[in-house]
Amino acid sequence: MEFADRVAQITPSETVAIIDKVREMEAAGTDVTNFTTGTQAEPRDFVTPEHISEASQAALDDGQTHLAPSKGLPELREALAAKLRDENDVPVESDQVLVTPGTKYALFESVLSFVDPGDEVVVLDPSWVSYNKMVDIADGTVERVSLDDEFLLRNADLDEAVGDSTRLVVLNTPLNATGGVFTREGLERLRDLAVEHDFWVLSDEIYEKLIYEGEHHAIASFDGMAERTITVSGFSKAYSMLGWRIGYLAAPQAFVDEVAKVHSNSVTAVPTFLQHGAIEAVTGPQDHVAEKRAELARRRDIMVERLADAGLDFPKPHSGMYMFIPVDTEDDVQFCKDILDDKQLAFTPGSAFGTPGYVRATWVLPDDELRAGLDAFVDYVA
Ligand SMILES: Cc1ncc(COP(=O)(O)O)c(C=O)c1O
């Protein structure tokens, strides 16, 4: 039996595959220190703030189990548009916002709606594991471009890599894999190229509220970019709502009208009572976000200090939940297999992000587990 080529050619998400393997080991009674995913640790210490869950619970109790409008509840779309205008200077109206099942699906339906077979899509490595696969599923052509020495956009070799055949560049700042935060200068370079070569940017800003040093710049707020940017984000990270699967996209109206067709023919709508929780997340108290940010920065410091003390050289993460640690081998996939088998330490290989020679590690672990795991890692690589 033959199935679709577009699926045969892709692999499952590397991060999800590693989580599954760790779960299997744990089910078999092996304790694993899981450095692979920050949000996996959520049930252990970051739960969705009560006022958000209560808003969804109240909606359920009120019988809000009917179908929401496909693009999302008007109150939520209005709240998100106001957030984008007020916090990010992105000029959007609520009609330009579409509520999606997770940021991931916002990315996916954007790629499906934008990319024709053969269209060239640039991803900036290290890039989040699913971008290139989404482009593959859409039968687009992935052009991988490395970020600069500091894993930033500023000095990346962009001029060579993009041109009139570029249709779309996938941008992620703050950057998942390294915790980098792109500077205005770097983003302006990208803007200039986008305008010159008339391509669009798909901007994944999910870590926007988890910046420890630096400032977030939404590229859609830059002159000339509102009409060529699809901004996507969601609730998983700042609001600890990973399992809720809720996110959104905001884009020029004509594009939203196209995506809406994919959306209504695939997801129909995001569950109504979940959207009530999301409204509370955007419009309710935000102090828990600051608390989460401070707590994550504290644990980031534990990790960074321990690795620096051991003499390791790495790009210091300024945001999010992850950092890149160089390993002394290009075969980082084998390294991750070996360290998992030998020391029960789970990491994601840098090559899953298009950047071999590194492992990606989170600091979202309880303190004692984090410290013990780091000691074991340092011991292993020493
Ligand atoms: C860079 C990036 N984009 C998107 C996502 C997916 O977010 P969501 O859980 O809202 O689908 C993640 C989650 O791991 C991520 O790290």
Side-chain angles (χ1 to χ4, degrees):
M1 180 78 190
E2 299 233 330
F3 302 108
D5 286 347
R6 80 173 65 81
V7 179
Q9 69 182 342
I10 63 163
T11 52
S13 156
E14 283 83 355
T15 43
V16 174
I18 294 170
I19 298 166
D20 287 348
K21 164 97 174 145
V22 170
R23 282 197 177 128
E24 243 171 60
M25 290 173 74
E26 287 179 337
T30 307
D31 280 340
V32 177
T33 305
N34 189 0
F35 283 101
T36 64
T37 166
T39 34
Q40 169 79 355
E42 248 179 40
R44 282 184 275 172
D45 55 358
F46 291 111
V47 291
T48 306
E50 255 173 47
H51 66 104
I52 297 175
S53 299
E54 281 165 9
S56 270
Q57 189 60 54
L60 262 182
D61 292 344
D62 186 42
Q64 304 264 352
T65 54
H66 302 293
L67 189 60
S70 179
K71 293 182 199 162
L73 291 176
E75 306 93 287
L76 180 53
R77 297 173 74 205
E78 185 44 64
L80 290 167
K83 178 254 175 232
L84 285 162
R85 285 192 303 263
D86 298 346
E87 293 181 14
N88 306 110
D89 284 332
V90 175
V92 282
E93 299 300 328
S94 59
D95 281 352
Q96 294 171 254
V97 176
L98 186 58
V99 180
T100 59
T103 311
K104 202 179 219 174
Y105 196 78
L107 287 159
F108 185 59
E109 64 182 0
S110 295
V111 169
L112 274 188
S113 308
F114 198 85
V115 176
D116 268 330
D119 277 355
E120 201 178 284
V121 180
V122 170
V123 299
L124 303 164
D125 288 335
S127 59
W128 186 53
V129 296
S130 296
Y131 299 144
N132 61 318
K133 290 174 197 164
M134 291 175 183
V135 177
D136 283 346
I137 292 171
D139 287 328
T141 303
V142 178
E143 175 94 10
R144 307 196 78 129
V145 177
S146 296
L147 289 167
D148 64 23
D149 291 352
E150 296 175 88
F151 295 123
L152 295 177
L153 201 51
R154 203 165 27 204
N155 299 314
D157 233 348
L158 286 180
D159 306 77
E160 293 289 298
V162 302
D164 290 344
S165 56
T166 307
R167 274 279 285 157
L168 183 69
V169 171
V170 185
L171 172 71
N172 175 212
T173 181
L175 182 63
N176 170 327
T178 66
V181 181
F182 293 176
T183 57
R184 174 168 274 282
E185 190 192 350
L187 293 166
E188 280 173 353
R189 271 191 73 208
L190 182 60
R191 184 270 314 275
D192 292 347
L193 290 165
V195 171
E196 182 186 341
H197 298 292
D198 195 22
F199 59 78
W200 280 40
V201 172
L202 176 56
S203 182
D204 178 349
E205 304 181 15
I206 187 151
Y207 291 100
E208 165 203 2
K209 288 184 184 285
L210 299 179
I211 294 183
Y212 315 119
E213 294 94 22
E215 200 187 333
H216 179 62
H217 303 287
I219 197 162
S221 69
F222 289 32
D223 280 351
M225 288 309 290
E227 57 267 43
R228 58 180 71 253
T229 303
I230 307 160
T231 304
V232 300
S233 193
F235 298 84
S236 312
K237 315 294 175 190
Y239 299 100
S240 307
M241 292 168 69
L242 177 68
W244 292 55
R245 310 308 309 128
I246 184 159
Y248 59 94
L249 65 88
Q253 188 66 57
F255 182 70
V256 174
D257 293 345
E258 291 300 292
V259 188
K261 295 189 257 173
V262 176
H263 194 80
S264 70
N265 282 296
S266 51
V267 296
T268 306
V270 170
T272 313
F273 51 94
L274 297 184
Q275 295 195 52
H276 282 280
I279 293 170
E280 177 62 20
V282 195
T283 59
Q286 300 293 308
D287 29 324
H288 58 87
V289 179
E291 282 161 24
K292 181 169 187 176
R293 191 165 48 235
E295 176 56 16
L296 287 175
R298 188 187 67 78
R299 293 190 213 180
R300 186 268 320 250
D301 290 344
I302 295 176
M303 183 141 179
V304 161
E305 275 163 31
R306 181 69 186 93
L307 296 175
D309 279 352
L312 295 173
D313 192 20
F314 50 84
K316 184 176 176 190
H318 297 294
S319 65
M321 307 170 173
Y322 301 104
M323 63 184 292
F324 248 27
I325 310 173
V327 287
D328 204 11
T329 166
E330 281 295 293
D331 197 350
D332 50 289
V333 175
Q334 191 59 46
F335 176 92
C336 288
K337 282 187 184 142
D338 291 345
I339 197 167
L340 183 56
D341 287 341
D342 299 348
K343 297 285 170 194
Q344 293 74 52
L345 301 174
F347 294 91
T348 313
S351 49
F353 306 87
T355 313
Y358 292 84
V359 294
R360 189 194 69 165
T362 185
W363 50 85
V364 188
L365 290 164
D367 280 21
D368 48 350
E369 211 180 315
L370 178 61
R371 288 182 202 278
L374 287 169
D375 286 346
F377 174 75
V378 164
D379 211 36
Y380 187 79
V381 296

